[in-house]
Amino acid sequence: MDETITSVLDEQRKFEPPHDAGANIPSFAAYRQWCRRFAEDADGTWRELAREHLQWQKPFTRVLNREHPPFFTWFEDGCLNVSENCLDRHVADGNGERTAIIWEGEPGDVRRISYRELLSEVCRAANALRQLGIEAGDRVVIYMPMIPEAAVAMLACTRIGAVHSVVFGAFSAQALRDRIEDAEAKLVITADGGWRRGAVHALKARVDQALYEGGRSVRHVLVVRRGGNEIDWQQGRDIDWQQALQVEPDACTPAMLGAEHPLFILYTSGSTGKPKGILHTTGGYLLWARLTMLWTFDFRPQQDVFWCTADIGWITGHTYSVYGPLACGGTTLMYEGVPTYPDAGRLWRICQDHRVSIFYTAPTAIRALIKAGDEWPRRYDLSSLRVLGTVGEPINPEAWMWYYTVIGRRRCPIVDTWWQTETGGHMIAPMPFATPTKPGSATLPLPGIDADVVDGNGLSIREGGGLLVIRQPWPSMLRGIWGDEQRYVDTYWRKFDGRYYFAGDGARRDEDGYCWIMGRVDDVLNVSGHRLGTMEIESALVSHAAVAEAAVVGRPDDLKGEAICAFVVLKAEASEALKQQLREHVAGEIGAIAKPDDIRFAEALPKTRSGKIMRRLLRDIAAGKRIAQDISTLEDSAVVSSLLSGEH
Ligand code: WT7
């Protein structure tokens, strides 16, 4: 990350936003005006926005309840249904024939689903869930490829108040089982497989594996047929999705749910070994999903085609492939496969063919496409694009400039959006037709978001580096960690004595008050925009019989942002074959995204006298830096010398 930091510190370029009088926030003055409204009367502003932007079954009277910090609640005495807000509402408004989802499969098959059709399908699915005994509050795990049925499954859960937990399709059977067990899911919705890089990968088979020895809470598995894989049907447990939906009526009254009814759980990595189930609830989450679509992307539902390339297994896919665009009544595009299949022009061809106007992706994807060469985007007509977004990791100014010039042809504003699974939606980002941008900076907090950069004591830093915090609750904030209240308090609130939400990121603020996100300050890695805990990978490694001890650190990587470097102390004989075995072992425990890029066998790990692994030192060694730091506090400084000498 060092190179990024130096280039970011030198970055002086600034780009004025294009002018568009029809934009939802048409000027910097309008943005400032919103901020001022929140500063003067936050509760009143949220109240008005929540009334205007959501359809309530029962209106709320109370905006924010601060009685039990840090357990805040929003609009708690109101009732609403997410699927009704995302579907029925738009059909009732006369937009039933508008396309809700444009879907493209990797082999090239295309489906266009109108709001009316989506509503029918969601109702059938909701009825099918009820038939299987799913009730409000029950957890449903969704383990699916990027196909419309995944969105249908999510919305069907919300219709009856079931709590979904989407598990990324590339996670292993073991990781799937951990999540099923932690959530005590009653039902798993999956597919026979999905297309990736020209082949069908298996999903149902992994569900079978996950449920073979565990996941006792699961009563049924609903299986969508997509890839033509053979399915090993378990009598009484497994049910064919299409058959189950076929016999159900296409109407289903949306359940009346409290604004704080759990909407979904999404697992993400932290600094301990066990992923945490981030809990989001109904009203506040949906409000912010909709507002950020309108503000950060200047989404205009009557005209835009919005494409967020994230998989629904991540929060980005939840908020910006499904809930945000649908809550606005606009068109969202879903693509099943990988960005570089059959060639590096795939994304640009999709943008051209479906006239995508707002495109949202991760810096990793941008860097990979830069490497593939400018001839790919040049081949396609990208004139429909009007706003470009990035998310997930710091974007290096070079990649930003490429995105701006080669993809956006200097016409499209770039919105670099900083947020997290925990925040539910955007927190720091430019408003595309209002905020001047600087390559590599996420710029300023959204209206209503009280973000700050502070020192270790929580004192605000006007200009300079520090820790990123949020000082006031916001509607789409996480409500907790599933099944572990204490961990919620400890992870996010302990650091500043309950005063601020601590995000886990370092940031620098420049002379204009712009934020430059510097990356995680905890033991969390960001590999290709995917969040992984070092401890999680370490536990996976030590669960292998040949491993005595392991330490995992990140190392800067041009393409992935960070690469995974593991230092391993063995019980067995070292060999190249064992390295490969360990990489596969980690893939089996977590998923292919967690495979270490480097494995270095060591005789021992460098530790302080109190027995702590010296991670910073390992990071320096992994990055190939000269070791300048004092190693006299090490238990055995010979360990370091051997690590250094064993390097090449
Ligand atoms: C972490 C959250 C929520 C989007 C997907 C990732 C990093 C996210 C940016 C950005 C620099 C970013 C942070 C954050 N991050 N967006 N625009 N610039 N860093 O969600 O998996 O919950 O990870 O991603 O480190 O804490 P996530």
Side-chain angles (χ1 to χ4, degrees):
M1 203 105 311
D2 270 357
E3 235 166 70
T4 314
I5 289 177
T6 7
S7 64
V8 151
L9 291 175
D10 296 340
E11 185 56 54
Q12 297 294 334
R13 285 169 288 198
K14 193 168 178 175
F15 296 88
E16 288 304 317
H19 181 68
D20 188 335
N24 293 326
I25 296 188
S27 65
F28 197 64
Y31 160 74
R32 295 283 294 277
Q33 176 77 30
W34 273 111
C35 296
R36 213 159 18 223
R37 269 186 70 179
F38 276 105
E40 280 161 12
D41 178 12
D43 279 22
T45 308
W46 287 122
R47 174 184 292 114
E48 233 173 86
L49 287 168
R51 281 190 183 148
E52 183 192 333
H53 285 270
L54 298 179
Q55 182 173 308
W56 297 87
Q57 295 164 322
K58 171 177 174 270
F60 62 90
T61 61
R62 189 166 197 181
V63 176
L64 168 61
N65 180 343
R66 301 174 174 268
E67 274 161 34
H68 308 286
F71 297 90
F72 301 98
T73 57
W74 288 84
F75 319 118
E76 62 184 18
D77 60 344
C79 288
L80 76 166
N81 184 286
V82 166
S83 77
E84 186 178 23
N85 272 274
C86 289
L87 303 168
D88 309 58
R89 185 184 176 183
H90 311 309
V91 174
D93 285 348
N95 294 317
E97 302 319 314
R98 186 181 290 163
T99 302
I101 299 177
I102 301 175
W103 173 78
E104 187 166 314
E106 201 192 67
D109 39 342
V110 170
R111 283 167 67 187
R112 277 193 185 75
I113 303 169
S114 71
Y115 272 93
R116 190 183 307 285
E117 289 163 340
L118 188 59
L119 173 60
S120 307
E121 197 70 0
V122 166
C123 286
R124 283 185 207 280
N127 288 328
L129 296 190
R130 282 222 175 104
Q131 282 297 323
L132 295 175
I134 302 301
E135 292 169 15
D138 286 345
R139 273 80 60 206
V140 173
V141 161
I142 298 176
Y143 187 62
M144 286 175 94
M146 281 294 279
I147 54 177
E149 286 78 2
V152 171
M154 292 164 78
L155 290 161
C157 287
T158 74
R159 195 141 189 106
I160 62 172
V163 183
H164 62 67
S165 180
V166 182
V167 176
F168 180 44
F171 275 131
S172 69
Q174 180 62 44
L176 173 64
R177 187 170 95 188
D178 292 345
R179 287 157 176 76
I180 289 173
E181 288 183 346
D182 189 79
E184 295 177 279
K186 257 193 186 171
L187 173 72
V188 177
I189 308 178
T190 189
D192 57 348
W195 288 90
R196 261 189 88 78
R197 231 178 284 282
V200 175
H201 62 89
L203 286 166
K204 167 63 165 63
R206 281 206 229 122
V207 174
D208 290 340
Q209 213 182 323
L211 296 181
Y212 184 62
E213 283 180 331
R216 292 280 171 255
S217 55
V218 173
R219 299 205 198 135
H220 293 288
V221 177
L222 260 176
V223 189
V224 179
R225 294 183 201 239
R226 161 63 185 153
N229 276 344
E230 200 162 310
I231 302 167
D232 181 8
W233 295 102
Q234 304 269 311
Q235 272 268 300
R237 188 194 72 184
D238 300 348
I239 290 145
D240 182 301
W241 164 278
Q242 276 94 340
Q243 280 177 15
L245 265 63
Q246 219 164 42
V247 297
E248 294 298 333
D250 66 356
C252 170
T253 309
M256 183 144 162
L257 301 168
E260 284 295 342
H261 185 78
L263 176 62
F264 64 82
I265 302 167
L266 186 58
Y267 286 84
T268 189
S269 298
S271 44
T272 65
K274 200 175 157 234
K276 43 196 180 189
I278 302 299
L279 175 67
H280 282 287
T281 60
T282 301
Y285 171 82
L286 195 67
L287 175 63
W288 199 234
R290 178 169 152 123
L291 286 175
T292 52
M293 278 302 297
L294 299 174
W295 289 350
T296 314
F297 295 122
D298 188 46
F299 189 48
R300 299 183 220 175
Q302 318 77 357
Q303 66 185 60
D304 279 315
V305 174
F306 179 84
W307 183 18
C308 161
T309 66
D311 190 279
I312 45 136
W314 309 104
I315 188 71
T316 314
H318 280 60
T319 310
Y320 299 110
S321 286
V322 180
Y323 292 121
L326 298 182
C328 294
T331 303
T332 183
L333 190 141
M334 276 172 93
Y335 167 58
E336 180 185 31
V338 298
T340 47
Y341 188 86
D343 57 49
R346 185 64 187 261
L347 299 188
W348 315 129
R349 200 185 80 208
I350 295 175
C351 285
Q352 166 189 281
D353 291 355
H354 301 292
R355 303 296 294 161
V356 171
S357 54
I358 307 174
F359 179 71
Y360 190 35
T361 197
T364 295
I366 297 170
R367 289 191 294 261
L369 294 165
I370 293 174
K371 230 179 143 181
D374 292 4
E375 62 272 24
W376 291 106
R378 288 229 179 85
R379 238 174 249 183
Y380 299 96
D381 173 10
L382 299 180
S383 61
S384 57
L385 293 172
R386 65 179 195 92
V387 176
L388 301 173
T390 82
V391 60
E393 44 177 328
I395 182 164
N396 45 311
E398 297 68 32
W400 194 103
M401 285 306 300
W402 184 84
Y403 201 28
Y404 184 65
T405 51
V406 180
I407 304 306
R409 320 263 151 105
R410 294 185 170 258
R411 291 182 300 108
C412 306
I414 307 277
V415 290
D416 174 358
T417 61
W418 176 84
W419 59 297
Q420 311 176 293
T421 306
E422 292 87 340
T423 70
H426 302 150
M427 302 298 278
I428 303 178
M431 302 296 99
F433 299 95
T435 315
T437 50
K438 303 182 187 185
S441 171
T443 76
L444 301 167
L446 270 82
I449 301 302
D450 189 356
D452 201 358
V453 177
V454 300
D455 68 13
N457 298 316
L459 289 174
S460 188
I461 295 173
R462 185 181 268 277
E463 207 184 314
L467 301 172
L468 197 53
V469 298
I470 315 295
R471 301 196 304 181
Q472 289 296 325
W474 65 102
S476 66
M477 65 192 294
L478 76 163
R479 296 303 194 267
I481 294 174
W482 186 256
D484 199 345
E485 286 198 347
Q486 194 54 45
R487 193 172 169 197
Y488 165 66
V489 178
D490 292 345
T491 311
Y492 305 104
W493 300 91
R494 181 76 68 217
K495 175 106 185 151
F496 296 105
D497 306 322
R499 283 176 300 156
Y500 305 144
Y501 169 86
F502 171 52
D505 280 306
R508 190 177 65 86
R509 195 150 41 189
D510 71 13
E511 65 281 7
D512 294 329
Y514 275 39
C515 290
W516 302 76
I517 312 296
M518 295 304 184
R520 303 290 307 195
V521 295
D522 52 8
D523 295 321
V524 168
L525 303 182
N526 193 326
V527 181
S528 302
H530 295 148
R531 184 164 154 185
L532 292 164
T534 51
M535 297 255 288
E536 215 178 325
I537 307 173
E538 288 163 8
S539 333
L541 283 165
V542 297
S543 74
H544 189 281
V547 175
E549 215 181 353
V552 169
V553 296
R555 152 172 82 62
D557 182 273
D558 283 348
L559 223 52
K560 299 179 173 187
E562 262 184 309
I564 304 170
C565 184
F567 293 87
V568 175
V569 181
L570 291 177
K571 292 182 198 159
E573 187 96 21
S575 69
E576 273 310 308
L578 181 56
K579 271 191 191 172
Q580 198 44 39
Q581 241 186 54
L582 291 179
R583 297 181 74 237
E584 291 309 324
H585 179 73
V586 173
E589 292 287 302
I590 305 172
I593 52 169
K595 269 190 195 176
D597 297 274
D598 305 345
I599 291 185
R600 300 195 186 183
F601 293 136
E603 269 157 46
L605 298 176
K607 291 184 183 162
T608 61
R609 289 193 207 287
S610 61
K612 272 196 172 164
I613 294 176
M614 301 193 73
R615 289 175 181 281
R616 185 182 305 189
L617 183 70
L618 289 178
R619 274 197 289 271
D620 287 349
I621 294 172
K625 276 196 203 152
R626 272 189 43 224
I627 305 302
Q629 89 191 78
D630 178 19
I631 55 172
S632 63
T633 52
L634 286 184
E635 180 68 58
D636 181 3
S637 51
V639 168
V640 178
S641 324
S642 82
L643 282 174
L644 288 169
S645 61
E647 223 178 298
H648 298 291

